[in-house]
Amino acid sequence: MSTVHPNVDRVIAAAAQRGLDIVPQRFPEGTKTAADAAAAIGVDVGQIVKSLIFAVDGEVVLAYVSGANQLDEKKLAAAAGGLTCTRVDADTVRQATGFPIGGVPPFGHENHLRVFIDPDLLTWPEVWAAAGTWNDVFGIEPHRLVEASEGEIVDLKRA
């Protein structure tokens, strides 16, 4: 019987389907914010993958942004081929991904969503992403993250 949260099991299974063997780590103190995650793991905040969910002209999309950066919503809208980019509520996040805010992983979502990835994440040998809960994360080589999430690399950083 598994000792991890069912969401984490889902993420491990989704990773395996993509040929990845991930090893989630649990941090009971929480990894809800990029700063919290970096402190708990012992890495630079730039190595934290923030999973940000927005609606671009009504289409729910995901942006994976370095923990050191802020998302420029106009850049995300343009990358997705839309005009307006708006935040979505917690219910929409859970409905679109199957995961709570703060725990959205790069793959294993309920629905196929377009993914846009901050190129600054590619400057690190390893980045850390949520593994389905606020307390579980896993390390991954950034190019594998791009492949596994079928993400498009695009400048998303607020200047």
Side-chain angles (χ1 to χ4, degrees):
M1 186 169 176
S2 178
T3 59
V4 299
H5 191 282
N7 284 1
V8 178
D9 278 336
R10 238 174 76 208
V11 175
I12 292 169
Q17 289 175 339
R18 290 160 175 78
L20 297 172
D21 181 20
I22 63 168
V23 181
Q25 295 181 36
R26 173 164 274 267
F27 293 94
E29 63 273 23
T31 56
K32 200 168 183 182
T33 69
D36 291 344
I41 300 163
V43 297
D44 190 278
V45 71
Q47 291 177 262
I48 303 302
V49 179
K50 294 191 295 191
S51 298
L52 306 176
I53 299 90
F54 284 85
V56 174
D57 293 351
E59 175 194 359
V60 177
V61 300
L62 279 166
Y64 296 128
V65 178
S66 167
N69 296 340
Q70 290 187 324
L71 174 76
D72 183 321
E73 294 176 21
K74 289 179 182 171
K75 287 181 178 179
L76 179 58
L83 299 174
T84 62
C85 181
T86 56
R87 291 189 179 275
V88 298
D89 63 21
D91 289 339
T92 301
V93 170
R94 191 176 286 276
Q95 183 178 27
T97 68
F99 298 96
I101 288 176
V104 177
F107 35 73
H109 307 132
E110 289 289 319
N111 300 290
H112 178 75
L113 302 172
R114 290 197 294 155
V115 175
F116 301 91
I117 299 176
D118 177 355
D120 285 359
L121 289 169
L122 302 176
T123 64
W124 298 97
E126 181 178 54
V127 294
W128 289 80
T133 77
W134 296 337
N135 303 81
D136 296 281
V137 293
F138 67 94
I140 186 171
E141 195 279 324
H143 291 91
R144 298 299 314 260
L145 172 73
V146 173
E147 292 167 11
S149 65
E150 299 175 354
E152 178 184 334
I153 301 165
V154 61
D155 177 24
L156 300 170
K157 183 170 47 175
R158 185 178 298 159

